[in-house]
Each structure stands twice: as structure tokens, then as C-alpha cells.
């Protein structure tokens, strides 16, 4: 079993006629993803990579049964692309685009909650979602993934790849990897993903990679303490960042003394989560979490 996607998921790409959209659609097809169409307004009737291109998402849903989308449209148009997908009935919307204005995402987040409860957004500014050996929607390097038993979730694409590589090397493999995105407002949270991994019988352990800024990791720790029975490991990036300085992601900034690495690590450890000391220790932290749980 997997969460969010599997080998039968019918996927489209919004922005497939752009350089990035076509490149990553090609990689997804080669991985085995069931890509069924692309969407670019004004380019309907064309073909890219052998896939039909439509002017609207609604057409792709009607003619190809699309149920998931990956978005590669420019940042100023991403909010409208997300809402168009939701309005067309797409259940899983994965926005890869970075640089989406925060005010745009505040509007989109509220609209999705109020008007489209059946549509889930992952991202923006994220690497995507991959279920090893079945379906890749996004920009992750597929060859490093191996089907296994660890659920992976992260605010950082690079840390996701590093953790996946270590888990593959240790023979643990992955179930599904979810790149949540590094912006202040994203569609799917650590808590949302923890709940899905907890319910997934194939997922035997979980690793989360967070970073300084915000309170997402502290909230996730409280959720784990109350609701998750599986071994959980974690890593917090930005431990050496000075207060007030943004480190990499738009959401990774310490303000008002909140969101420090020390606070997050303390909350994670209080919840019984095994915390990795460095990025090189993430895979071994999962091993320690599994052993500590007696699994």
C-alpha cells in the first residue's frame, strides 16, 4: 500500500509545454508514472512527449480521467493553476513552482479549505511525491529510491534525497516520500503526512526532516506523542543559523525567538523521536528508532 499515489494514478502536467514541465514529464514517464496529458492555455491540440495537450484542466479530466497534477507554471500564475485544478475535481495537486507570493498562497489555502475539501495540495516550492517503484510526480531523482518500509517527509528537497539515499544504502528503502515544501504556507503539513503514514500498513517507520522557523516541527512532535505508534526519526536543519537570518527557504527564519533548532529538537526528543545529529546521521537515526521500539 502507499499514500497519495500509486501505479494507477492518472497524472497531468500543467505547464508541460515549458522547458521544465516537458523535462520532468519525460522523467516521470520514464520512471513509470501514468502520465495521461498536459495542460497549457492556448496550446490545446498540440502533443508533447506523445501526450495530448489541452487548454484547460477540466478537458483533461473529462477526456483522460486525470486525478493528479504537477504544476510547473510560472510563479505569478501558480495560484490560479492550483484553483483551476481543484475546480476541475483533481484530488491531488502538486505544485513544484518556487517563488509563489505568500499572499497568493494565503488566498489559495483558504479557498481550498472552504470550497475544495476533496482536493489535497502538496507544495508549492517542493520536489513532489514519489512511491518507490510505482509513481513519481515531481523532480526527485528516481534511481535512488527503493521500495521498502520507511515513510519520508521533508521541508527540503535536498535533505529528502540524502535521506532516501541513506535508507536505500541501509536496505530499509521507502514507502512514499513527500516533499512538503519550504515556503511559509504549504498545502500539506507534517501532521497530515504523519496521519497518513500511521494508517499505512506498509510503513513501519517514519523520518521527518524539518528546519528552523515556524512551529511545524513542534506541532508534529505533539502529534507524534499523542497519535503515532511507529518509530519516528527526525533531523532539524539550520542549527548554526544566527537568529533573524533566513537560511535557504522562505519559511526558514527565526523571528521573535521562536522556531529555533534547540526548541524543535527538545520538542522532538520529548515526544520520543530519535533526532539525527547531522545530515549524515539520518539513516542511522531511523535504525536507532526502530531498534529502540523493539521492531
Amino acid at each position: 500500500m502507499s499514500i497519495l499515489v500509486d501505479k494507477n494514478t492518472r497524472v497531468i502536467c500543467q505547464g508541460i509545454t515549458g522547458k521544465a514541465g516537458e523535462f520532468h514529464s519525460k522523467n516521470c514517464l520514464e520512471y513509470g508514472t501514468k502520465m495521461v496529458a498536459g495542460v497549457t492555455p492556448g496550446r490545446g491540440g498540440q502533443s508533447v512527449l506523445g501526450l495530448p495537450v489541452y487548454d484547460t484542466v477540466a478537458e483533461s479530466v473529462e477526456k483522460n480521467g486525470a486525478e493528479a497534477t504537477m504544476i510547473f507554471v510560472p510563479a505569478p500564475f501558480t495560484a490560479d493553476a492550483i484553483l483551476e485544478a481543484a475546480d476541475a475535481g483533481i484530488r491531488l495537486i502538486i505544485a513544484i513552482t518556487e517563488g509563489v507570493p505568500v499572499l497568493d498562497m494565503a488566498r489559495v489555502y483558504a479557498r481550498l479549505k472552504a470550497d475544495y475539501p476533496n482536493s489535497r495540495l502538496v507544495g508549492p516550492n517542493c520536489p513532489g511525491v514519489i512511491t518507490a517503484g510505482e509513481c513519481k510526480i515531481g523532480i526527485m531523482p528516481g534511481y535512488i529510491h527503493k521500495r521498502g518500509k520507511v515513510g519520508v517527509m521533508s521541508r527540503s528537497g535536498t535533505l529528502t534525497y540524502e535521506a532516501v539515499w541513506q535508507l536505500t544504502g541501509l536496505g530499509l528503502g521507502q514507502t512514499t516520500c513527500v516533499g512538503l515544501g519550504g515556503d511559509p504556507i504549504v498545502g500539506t503539513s507534517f501532521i497530515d503526512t504523519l496521519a497518513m503514514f500511521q494508517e499505512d500498513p506498509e510503513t513501519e517507520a517514519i523520518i521527518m526532516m524539518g528546519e528552523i522557523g515556524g512551529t511545524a516541527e513542534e506541532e508534529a512532535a505533539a502529534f507524534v506523542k499523542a497519535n503515532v505508534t511507529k518509530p519516528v526519526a527526525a533531523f532539524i536543519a539550520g542549527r548554526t543559523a544566527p537568529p533573524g537570518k533566513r537560511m535557504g527557504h522562505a519559511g526558514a527564519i527565526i523571528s521573535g525567538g521562536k522556531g529555533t533548532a534547540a526548541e524543535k529538537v527538545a520538542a522532538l526528543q520529548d515526544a520520543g523521536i530519535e533526532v539525527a545529529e547531522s545530515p549524515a546521521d539520518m539513516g542511522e537515526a531511523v535504525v536507532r528508532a526502530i531498534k529502540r521500539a523493539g521492531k
Side-chain angles (χ1 to χ4, degrees), residues 186-201:
V186 293
T188 295
S189 68
F190 281 128
I191 291 176
D192 297 330
T193 314
L194 282 164
M196 288 186 276
F197 281 139
Q198 174 65 20
E199 293 299 316
D200 176 28

Side-chain angles (χ1 to χ4, degrees), residues 225-238:
K225 194 172 185 178
N227 301 284
V228 177
T229 59
K230 299 178 180 181
V232 181
F235 173 71
I236 299 297

Side-chain angles (χ1 to χ4, degrees), residues 207-267:
I207 182 167
M208 56 180 284
M209 281 75 73
E211 57 194 10
I212 59 171
T215 58
E217 290 78 5
E218 290 90 332
E219 293 163 6
F223 184 85
V224 168
K225 194 172 185 178
N227 301 284
V228 177
T229 59
K230 299 178 180 181
V232 181
F235 173 71
I236 299 297
R239 290 189 182 197
T240 58
K245 185 173 181 60
R246 179 179 299 164
M247 300 298 288
H249 288 154
I253 183 169
I254 298 170
S255 58
K258 296 294 183 182
T260 66
E263 286 180 324
K264 293 177 186 294
V265 169

Side-chain angles (χ1 to χ4, degrees), residues 100-234:
V100 180
V102 175
L103 287 177
D104 280 8
M105 283 311 304
R107 174 172 61 89
V108 166
Y109 189 84
R111 283 288 309 279
L112 291 176
K113 288 285 185 183
D115 301 330
Y116 305 103
N118 295 323
S119 291
R120 172 177 295 282
L121 170 66
V122 177
N125 189 19
C126 78
V129 175
I130 181 169
T131 288
E134 293 200 26
C135 179
K136 175 172 101 84
I137 305 178
I139 62 176
M140 308 76 74
Y143 72 94
I144 65 173
H145 294 76
K146 179 181 179 182
R147 193 60 179 258
K149 60 184 182 182
V150 182
V152 179
M153 56 183 179
S154 176
R155 290 167 68 179
S156 162
T158 305
L159 287 175
T160 304
Y161 312 151
E162 179 60 34
V164 164
W165 179 247
Q166 291 178 26
L167 292 170
T168 295
L170 289 167
L172 295 173
Q174 311 87 42
T175 52
T176 297
C177 305
V178 184
L180 303 174
D183 283 359
I185 300 175
V186 293
T188 295
S189 68
F190 281 128
I191 291 176
D192 297 330
T193 314
L194 282 164
M196 288 186 276
F197 281 139
Q198 174 65 20
E199 293 299 316
D200 176 28
E202 190 178 353
T203 298
E204 299 179 18
I206 303 166
I207 182 167
M208 56 180 284
M209 281 75 73
E211 57 194 10
I212 59 171
T215 58
E217 290 78 5
E218 290 90 332
E219 293 163 6
F223 184 85
V224 168
K225 194 172 185 178
N227 301 284
V228 177
T229 59
K230 299 178 180 181
V232 181

Side-chain angles (χ1 to χ4, degrees), residues 16-81:
I16 195 170
T17 56
K19 184 177 180 181
E22 180 176 350
F23 176 80
H24 290 292
S25 292
K26 180 175 182 290
N27 288 343
C28 290
L29 280 166
E30 290 174 348
Y31 191 76
T33 302
K34 186 174 284 187
M35 299 286 301
V36 297
V39 172
T40 300
R43 300 289 186 91
Q46 297 183 4
S47 176
V48 174
L49 303 171
L51 302 172
V53 178
Y54 299 107
D55 288 318
T56 68
V57 177
E59 286 182 271
S60 68
V61 172
E62 177 186 354
K63 297 177 179 176
N64 297 101
E67 55 185 326
T69 181
M70 61 177 181
I71 295 178
F72 280 99
V73 306
F77 310 115
T78 298
D80 287 342

Side-chain angles (χ1 to χ4, degrees), residues 221 264-275 277 292:
K264 293 177 186 294
V265 169
L268 294 167
Q269 291 176 332
D270 181 63
I273 297 171
E274 182 70 32
V275 179
E277 289 297 319
R292 195 167 70 180

